[in-house]
Amino acid sequence: MADEPPICSHCTRRAVIRDRTTGEHLCRDHLITSVEDRVFRSLEDEEHLPDVLGVAFSGGKDSSALIAVLAALAGRIPVRMIALTIDEGICGYREETIRAAETIAAKYGVEHRIISFRELFGKSLDEIILGEPGRACTICGILRRRALEILARKEGVRVIATGHNLDDMAQTAVMNAISGDVKKVFAGREISDHYAKRIKPFARVSEREVTIYAMLAGVYHALPECPYAGFSLRGEVRHLLNAYEREHPGTMMNAAKCEETLRTALGPVYPAGEQIVCESCGWPASSAFCQVCMITGKGNPRN
Ligand code: SF4
């Protein structure tokens, strides 16, 4: 006889997910409530929520689920959302995800702004990394961050919510530890007029929960994977952490919490040294030219 499907730990309905850490089963409705409550609490914990909240919106499942949760919480958290999308210019991948983003923004009636690497830096990511796919994620991360800040500033956004989930947080913690660079623990927390504050409402929600939430909300689309994803260290770390989580439930939560504890112990930001600004663009830099200008060639005195 086939096994009976598991039943929700809180009601008599069929479960759609089992929390490996607690062993609890959740049905559709209890999962939705659980995810929305965790996001609500994380937003409540923010000292000051602005009237306008930017959402970094790639069109992928995490940021799409975030738009859906924030729309569901609109009555409890009355902020105006602006979805911010960066078109890096990745052929065979970005066109489709941007179409998905436009569809979802329209579904929820959310204002949507898009800006591209080409508009800002004169070239697409494909053109910048030509022939060196191993550099793609590093360069993409640096340029996308700048692009998002520029777009946010243009829209008057000073706080940006990102779709990073618990798995992402754990991967970042492990990658930071591997790099041996303590400064990375503070990445994205710089205090400067140039940077909007980042918040991560899904920081305590696992990738599986976000994925199922996105499916239940009807915002999950099977989209192509970025062709450069296979070259990233994150992919390797993800694979390892998933295996650890299966054998040792709670690994991801512990890794994410460990980095948070470290950050709390060290203070809100990395002790600032001398403040330098880029000679070319005027953004904060760690040497004469910022990383963006070095990548785009503006940091080369011959240009
Ligand atoms: Fe950018 Fe790498 Fe992500 Fe592709 S996988 S979008 S190159 S960071």
Side-chain angles (χ1 to χ4, degrees):
M1 201 170 76
D3 287 343
E4 288 290 320
I7 299 299
C8 177
S9 305
H10 299 277
C11 68
T12 54
R13 279 177 295 234
R14 222 175 76 187
V16 294
I17 193 167
R18 175 177 178 271
D19 184 324
R20 286 202 191 98
T21 315
T22 61
E24 205 175 55
H25 289 94
L26 292 178
C27 67
R28 176 190 190 285
D29 289 355
H30 279 104
L31 172 69
I32 289 173
T33 305
S34 167
V35 170
E36 291 175 358
D37 281 351
R38 271 175 282 167
V39 169
F40 178 68
R41 282 199 303 274
S42 97
L43 294 173
E44 255 192 338
D45 285 347
E46 291 300 324
E47 277 169 20
H48 172 67
L49 266 187
D51 297 333
V52 183
L53 179 65
V55 179
F57 186 35
S58 68
K61 68 175 180 356
D62 297 317
S63 53
S64 299
L66 184 56
I67 295 272
V69 173
L70 292 172
L73 292 175
R76 295 159 81 187
I77 302 181
V79 293
R80 188 178 128 230
M81 247 196 288
I82 301 186
L84 307 170
T85 298
I86 308 304
D87 177 0
E88 302 91 346
I90 303 174
C91 192
Y93 161 68
R94 220 51 186 110
E95 307 87 339
E96 219 174 306
T97 50
I98 285 180
R99 271 198 298 278
E102 286 170 335
T103 305
I104 290 162
K107 169 178 167 143
Y108 290 102
V110 174
E111 292 174 61
H112 188 201
R113 309 280 182 265
I114 305 175
I115 203 163
S116 69
F117 278 11
R118 181 175 288 287
E119 281 172 82
L120 291 173
F121 310 120
K123 285 181 183 174
S124 67
L125 182 69
D126 286 340
E127 290 164 340
I128 294 169
I129 56 109
L130 206 59
E132 294 181 89
R135 297 169 62 222
C137 291
T138 304
I139 290 177
C140 180
I142 294 166
L143 297 186
R144 192 175 44 202
R145 180 159 184 236
R146 175 69 60 88
L148 192 56
E149 294 295 347
I150 292 172
L151 183 56
R153 200 197 273 196
K154 199 170 148 205
E155 297 299 326
V157 166
R158 296 310 298 150
V159 179
I160 302 173
T162 66
H164 293 101
N165 58 48
L166 175 63
D167 299 39
D168 298 320
M169 306 295 284
Q171 290 153 19
T172 302
V174 171
M175 287 164 66
N176 288 345
I178 291 171
S179 79
D181 184 353
V182 180
K183 271 205 295 301
K184 291 197 170 172
V185 172
F186 296 90
R189 283 161 206 267
E190 293 86 347
I191 295 177
S192 156
D193 287 346
H194 286 87
Y195 299 111
K197 181 180 177 186
R198 304 291 177 111
I199 60 173
K200 299 181 171 76
F202 280 151
R204 292 286 175 267
V205 185
S206 73
E207 181 162 346
R208 283 174 70 232
E209 291 173 310
V210 172
T211 303
I212 296 176
Y213 186 98
M215 287 172 166
L216 295 173
V219 296
Y220 181 90
H221 299 284
L223 294 168
E225 190 180 24
C226 174
Y228 304 120
F231 294 91
S232 70
L233 172 64
R234 185 173 288 276
E236 288 176 39
V237 172
R238 175 187 294 124
H239 187 69
L240 276 174
L241 273 175
N242 284 345
Y244 265 86
E245 181 68 33
R246 271 194 300 277
E247 292 300 317
H248 311 284
T251 294
M252 300 230 199
M253 185 64 87
N254 291 341
K257 274 188 182 162
C258 180
E259 184 165 281
E260 203 174 297
T261 305
L262 182 63
R263 209 161 24 230
T264 308
L266 292 175
V269 288
Y270 190 72
E274 194 191 346
Q275 295 287 308
I276 304 175
V277 293
C278 174
E279 287 177 18
S280 177
C281 68
W283 280 69
S286 53
S287 57
F289 295 100
C290 69
Q291 287 177 305
V292 171
C293 288
M294 295 301 284
I295 292 167
T296 55
K298 291 183 188 150
N300 183 340
R302 284 173 298 177
N303 286 319

